[in-house]
């Protein structure tokens, strides 16, 4: 996120690149007078142009939250013997990023040292090989890489279908464990099926047939329209270099099978930051925000000389649908598949996901959870993504508890106190 500078103090990655013009300052100069051979002449006054120090960039990252989240990410990576863990925390109302962590992480003070590579191995690499490995190590997975979101994407499908009126919260469904779409039998994660369920229960159960059904009601054309309207085909504009774009089917190639798989977050890829920004808009009343770190520029005395402004766009979804989504997603945590993120005394909303990476035959998974709090007026949104965990790999089982631990610790720190009246209803 912060990045580092090279031999001439030029920004190489991260904020150091993005805000180079503010940070770099101006070199000073000493002008002397010489003769034709370049020998300095004594007794001629020299001119000095004093150097100007770079300005200070104030960012939204909270040092304590970032450090705590980093520890949590390292802990779960170790426990689950995972390939990596990414965690992103932001304010869904204005897009300010509080923490962004990708482990394993290189040492910012020693950015040319390859992690996980022995000194002797590193010495044997060609310059090109070493540079490729460094570039790989420097990637910010939240921004530079895409993933198949899986079931957290059901937040987006549900919002589009509620907004368009093709489903209501009380609609009844029946899940036999699969749905036939054209010549394909597409399975629910629950082999025996969820049986009879309302739409809300379908979201709580993360039932694939319910989402295929409502997606087919919406149709490919309107599904794609919402995909665009929710910003999913555009970059978020986050103030970090190298944001990756969405990888999506061409509109004319989306048949019923593609549509059905897209409803539950498969067969396309987006970045974590894109996902976080769109979900923020869907729960904040329908305002598309720009995720960012840069807040203001300060001079050497600490006075503000510039305040950054970021693009917002309201009305991507109605206030009413947004409020319905907050309520449904709170119920996912209080009584559904997200219950491992529940904290007594707080209102938490969220959604789990478990997606298989390509090729499917490798049996590698990404477990994730998107959560937000307080559910009725979201001020903090978090994403936890665990790459290739060993053993239990379900998002609800391993990513949701990490989100709970983070919320439990940072919510009081950020000034949100527990409400002793809030208790889960006994069932
Ligand atoms: Zn089901």
């Amino acid at each position: 996120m912060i990045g580092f500078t090279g031999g001439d103090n030029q920004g190489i990655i991260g904020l150091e690149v993005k805000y180079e013009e503010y940070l770099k300052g101006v070199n000073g100069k000493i002008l002397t007078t010489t003769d034709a051979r370049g020998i300095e002449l004594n007794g001629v006054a020299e001119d000095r142009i004093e150097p100007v120090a770079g300005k200070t960039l104030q960012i939204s990252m909270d040092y304590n939250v970032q450090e705590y989240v980093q520890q949590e990410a390292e802990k779960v990576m170790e426990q689950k013997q995972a390939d990596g863990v990414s965690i992103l925390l932001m304010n869904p109302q204005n897009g300010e990023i509080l923490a962004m962590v990708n482990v394993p992480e290189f040492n910012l003070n020693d950015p040319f040292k390859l992690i996980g590579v022995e000194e002797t191995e590193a010495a044997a690499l060609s310059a090109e090989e070493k540079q490729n490995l460094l570039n790989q190590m420097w990637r910010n997975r939240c921004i530079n890489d895409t993933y198949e979101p899986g079931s957290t994407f059901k937040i987006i499908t549900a919002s589009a279908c509620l907004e368009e009126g093709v489903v209501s919260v009380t609609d009844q469904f029946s899940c036999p464990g699969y749905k036939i779409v054209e010549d394909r039998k597409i399975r629910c994660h629950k082999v025996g099926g969820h049986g009879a369920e309302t739409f809300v229960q379908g979201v709580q159960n993360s039932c694939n047939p319910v989402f295929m059904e409502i997606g087919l009601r919406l149709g490919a054309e309107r599904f794609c329209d919402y995909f665009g309207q929710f910003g999913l085909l555009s970059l978020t504009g986050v103030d970090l270099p190298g944001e990756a774009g969405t990888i999506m089917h061409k509109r004319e190639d989306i048949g019923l099978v593609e549509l059905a798989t897209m409803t539950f977050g498969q067969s396309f890829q987006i970045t974590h930051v894109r996902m976080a920004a769109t979900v923020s808009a869907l729960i904040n009343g329908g305002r598309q925000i720009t995720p960012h770190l840069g807040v203001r520029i300060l001079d050497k005395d600490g006075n503000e000389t510039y305040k950054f402004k970021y693009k917002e766009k309201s009305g991507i979804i109605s206030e009413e649908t947004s409020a319905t989504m907050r309520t449904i997603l709170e119920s996912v945590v209080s009584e559904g598949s997200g219950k491992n993120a529940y904290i007594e005394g707080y209102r938490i909303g969220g959604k789990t996901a478990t997606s298989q990476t390509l090729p499917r035959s490798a049996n590698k998974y990404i477990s994730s959870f998107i959560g937000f709090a307080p559910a009725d007026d979201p001020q903090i949104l978090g994403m936890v993504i665990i790459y290739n965990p060993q053993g239990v790999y379900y998002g609800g089982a391993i990513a949701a508890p990490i989100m709970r631990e983070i919320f439990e610790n940072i919510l009081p720190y950020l000034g949100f106190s527990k409400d002793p009246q809030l208790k889960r209803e006994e069932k």
Side-chain angles (χ1 to χ4, degrees):
M1 182 162 77
I2 293 173
F4 57 89
T5 58
D8 297 324
N9 269 333
Q10 81 283 18
I12 292 193
I13 61 166
L15 294 171
E16 291 279 9
V17 173
K18 185 73 191 179
Y19 290 96
E20 168 94 4
E21 60 172 309
Y22 298 99
L23 298 169
K24 71 177 178 188
V26 182
N27 287 339
K29 280 181 183 157
I30 298 175
L31 304 172
T32 57
T33 308
T34 68
D35 66 13
R37 285 171 299 164
I39 308 278
E40 240 176 81
L41 298 179
N42 285 329
V44 180
E46 62 180 25
D47 250 342
R48 286 175 66 91
I49 300 176
E50 294 301 326
V52 182
K55 295 207 165 63
T56 297
L57 169 69
Q58 190 180 54
I59 59 174
S60 56
M61 181 194 90
D62 183 298
Y63 182 86
N64 294 319
V65 174
Q66 173 80 12
E67 198 170 38
Y68 173 70
V69 168
Q70 172 105 20
Q71 288 167 8
E72 284 292 307
E74 279 163 1
K75 194 174 79 184
V76 66
M77 187 173 116
E78 171 74 28
Q79 278 169 357
K80 295 303 299 177
Q81 291 295 300
D83 288 353
V85 177
S86 294
I87 301 177
L88 173 60
L89 289 178
M90 65 186 251
N91 180 335
Q93 302 291 339
N94 62 14
E96 284 185 353
I97 295 170
L98 275 91
M100 185 186 282
V101 165
N102 301 283
V103 292
E105 181 68 291
F106 63 96
N107 181 355
L108 261 191
N109 295 313
D110 195 3
F112 292 90
K113 183 177 168 20
L114 287 167
I115 48 164
V117 179
E118 296 291 326
E119 295 275 333
T120 49
E121 270 179 78
L125 295 170
S126 74
E128 195 188 342
E129 285 169 334
K130 183 167 185 199
Q131 193 56 51
N132 286 341
L133 289 173
L134 286 172
N135 288 339
Q136 197 56 38
M137 181 179 80
W138 293 338
R139 293 181 82 77
N140 181 334
R141 275 180 133 164
C142 291
I143 306 245
N144 305 140
D145 292 333
T146 56
Y147 80 127
E148 208 179 33
S151 293
T152 47
F153 194 81
K154 287 171 179 160
I155 298 173
I156 287 149
T157 304
S159 301
C161 292
L162 284 167
E163 181 80 354
E164 192 67 21
V166 299
V167 69
S168 76
V169 288
T170 52
D171 278 8
Q172 285 289 330
F173 295 85
S174 178
C175 165
Y178 60 86
K179 183 170 173 66
I180 307 278
V181 181
E182 290 187 321
D183 59 342
R184 293 262 215 111
K185 186 174 182 178
I186 306 177
R187 295 188 183 283
C188 188
H189 61 90
K190 188 171 180 184
V191 180
H194 288 101
E197 54 194 335
T198 64
F199 176 60
V200 172
Q201 287 166 331
V203 184
Q204 290 170 359
N205 295 332
S206 198
C207 175
N208 291 346
V210 167
F211 282 85
M212 290 190 260
E213 167 65 30
I214 64 168
L216 294 172
R217 287 183 197 171
L218 186 64
E221 267 309 298
R222 284 183 293 174
F223 186 86
C224 289
D225 289 344
Y226 276 104
F227 208 93
Q229 184 177 323
F230 293 169
L232 295 163
L233 295 173
S234 331
L235 299 181
T236 65
V238 65
D239 54 344
L240 284 169
E243 182 180 1
T246 299
I247 304 168
M248 210 346 220
H249 302 281
K250 285 203 190 95
R251 201 181 257 241
E252 59 270 27
D253 295 341
I254 301 176
L256 296 182
V257 171
E258 289 75 20
L259 175 61
T261 55
M262 285 173 71
T263 63
F264 52 90
Q266 286 186 9
S267 78
F268 64 93
Q269 299 215 351
I270 60 176
T271 60
H272 303 321
V273 73
R274 178 66 271 170
M275 189 69 186
T278 290
V279 173
S280 292
L282 297 177
I283 58 163
N284 75 8
R287 223 162 6 88
Q288 192 70 264
I289 43 88
T290 303
H292 63 269
L293 285 150
V295 176
R296 56 175 66 89
I297 297 292
L298 308 173
D299 66 16
K300 65 180 185 338
D301 302 316
N303 301 312
E304 177 179 304
T305 60
Y306 190 75
K307 192 172 189 325
F308 296 105
K309 287 198 177 66
Y310 294 92
K311 253 201 331 216
E312 285 194 5
K313 186 180 170 200
S314 49
I316 71 153
I317 199 167
S318 67
E319 294 265 2
E320 190 192 345
T321 302
S322 183
T324 305
M325 284 309 300
R326 289 195 295 270
T327 307
I328 294 175
L329 293 170
E330 186 178 2
S331 81
V332 169
V333 171
S334 60
E335 47 196 294
S337 50
K339 61 182 186 302
N340 283 335
Y342 181 81
I343 306 169
E344 189 149 288
Y346 284 117
R347 299 182 65 172
I348 313 278
K351 185 75 195 73
T352 62
T354 310
S355 48
Q356 208 173 13
T357 55
L358 297 170
R360 309 273 187 223
S361 58
N363 275 320
K364 288 187 176 184
Y365 295 86
I366 295 178
S367 306
S368 66
F369 187 81
I370 294 187
F372 58 91
D376 54 333
D377 180 23
Q379 299 299 316
I380 179 121
L381 175 127
M383 275 179 91
V384 174
I385 303 107
I386 306 169
Y387 306 94
N388 193 23
Q390 304 303 303
V392 176
Y393 56 80
Y394 294 108
I398 64 169
I402 304 303
M403 194 81 261
R404 177 186 62 213
E405 229 171 288
I406 291 173
F407 277 161
E408 200 154 30
N409 283 280
I410 67 164
L411 288 175
Y413 167 77
L414 295 172
F416 300 99
S417 45
K418 282 193 180 185
D419 176 356
Q421 303 296 321
L422 272 178
K423 289 220 162 60
R424 190 156 23 183
E425 278 173 42
E426 292 297 331
K427 283 215 149 181

